[in-house]
Amino acid sequence: MLTLAEVLRHPRVPNETGDTIGHLGPAAAPLAPLLRERLAEVPLDSPDTYDRAAPLLHGLGTLRYAAAVPEVLRLLHGTPRELRLRDALVKALARTLGAFGPRAREAVPSLRDLLTGENAVAAADALQSVEGDAEAVLPVLLGALAPEGDPGSHRAAAEALGRMGAAAAPALPGLRRLTDSAGVWERTAAACALWDIAGDPEPVLPVFREAWRQNPYTRGGIAACLVRMGVAGAPVHDLVRTELASPRRHRARSGGHGSHDVLDDELLLRACRTALEAA
């Protein structure tokens, strides 16, 4: 903690700072005021504005430190439209506001203003978390599911709809259509959302089985959904048991590695064990 506090006293913090705070969880709460101070110092029009803000936003969102809403809105309203990586910055700002939940109500007008722009899905997801107004966000998310839409938007919209639960029932036809998508990430996100909204395993489990085998990187999200499904996920628990027994891990690959490979694999194994216990 003392080391992280010292890191946060510098104007620019490493990209990994937000993830590290996430791993520490509530124990990192004393660092929140420092994160807020650093965010207030991020320049509005610098080429590295996004790079400096992103780890701070991640940390603040993880800690749900809603006292930083004014600093988040400062960046949202103050950065010029031509700023490098501004779209990525706006998405990160919206995610952070969404993580703050109802305590970020002063951000509601700003989020509503974003509902008609290119960051509409991220804004809708955040607005639902902050205000809980399904009537305002459903048209945006339903529109993002349209067949002609961007695959990335399809996935983000499906994930946002899943978090809404039963209130997103009007999205069920679009999500069922998305389970036939060519993209494995879209299919998986749609299947998870179908379960979280309707609680029907029939259209979900075949998608999970195919995706699990096709792309090992989908397994973490699938396993997390299987935990939520409890006994309803039992027909695919053979995949979970095989995963737990396999000495070759799902993120193992020749010629490279990622900084989160071990952690992501441990999270997958934990979810697999929990899924079996929940059934």
Side-chain angles (χ1 to χ4, degrees):
M1 287 287 291
L2 291 176
T3 301
L4 269 177
E6 186 58 34
V7 167
L8 288 174
R9 297 190 191 281
H10 294 273
R12 181 163 182 169
V13 302
N15 289 335
E16 296 82 6
T17 303
D19 288 327
T20 303
I21 289 172
H23 304 331
L24 289 171
L31 299 175
L34 274 174
L35 289 166
R36 181 185 182 187
E37 288 179 22
R38 293 290 81 78
L39 191 66
E41 296 168 357
V42 172
L44 296 175
D45 57 356
S46 170
D48 67 350
T49 294
Y50 171 77
D51 300 319
R52 288 180 59 176
L56 301 170
L57 292 167
H58 187 168
L60 287 165
T62 296
L63 297 175
R64 303 185 187 280
Y65 192 62
V69 168
E71 286 73 26
V72 175
L73 293 179
R74 165 185 167 268
L75 285 169
L76 182 60
H77 296 304
T79 51
R81 292 195 174 276
E82 65 275 10
L83 182 75
R84 170 183 170 270
L85 296 177
R86 188 175 188 276
D87 281 350
L89 175 63
V90 172
K91 286 184 175 69
L93 294 167
R95 280 195 301 270
T96 303
L97 292 169
F100 294 161
R103 292 178 298 160
R105 288 193 66 86
E106 66 185 278
V108 166
S110 300
L111 290 171
R112 286 183 176 272
D113 287 344
L114 293 174
L115 290 179
T116 56
E118 49 203 13
N119 296 297
V121 172
D125 192 14
L127 187 63
Q128 174 64 20
S129 175
V130 174
E131 192 179 34
D133 186 354
E135 186 176 341
V137 304
L138 266 177
V140 174
L141 298 176
L142 292 175
L145 290 182
E148 64 274 13
D150 172 71
S153 294
H154 286 162
R155 179 183 175 186
E159 291 172 349
L161 288 161
R163 284 187 282 272
M164 292 177 65
L172 291 174
L175 290 167
R176 292 191 188 100
R177 184 182 65 248
L178 197 57
T179 59
D180 291 326
S181 167
V184 65
W185 288 105
E186 298 166 71
R187 295 199 305 273
T188 305
C192 288
L194 283 174
W195 170 259
D196 290 329
I197 295 168
D200 180 4
E202 184 175 351
V204 172
L205 296 179
V207 177
F208 282 177
R209 184 173 291 279
E210 181 184 3
W212 189 283
R213 292 172 171 167
Q214 179 183 350
N215 187 335
Y217 294 104
T218 65
R219 293 177 187 175
I222 292 172
C225 190
L226 289 174
V227 171
R228 300 193 295 275
M229 293 179 72
V231 69
V236 296
H237 281 181
D238 59 301
L239 300 175
V240 172
R241 294 187 182 93
T242 300
E243 185 70 37
L244 289 170
S246 174
R248 181 171 176 82
R249 304 312 312 134
H250 82 294
R251 299 185 74 87
R253 57 189 185 277
S254 59
H257 67 278
S259 61
H260 295 115
D261 284 354
V262 173
L263 174 63
D264 287 345
D265 191 59
E266 287 296 321
L267 293 173
L268 169 63
L269 293 173
R270 182 188 303 171
C272 287
R273 289 189 288 267
T274 305
L276 294 179
E277 293 166 1

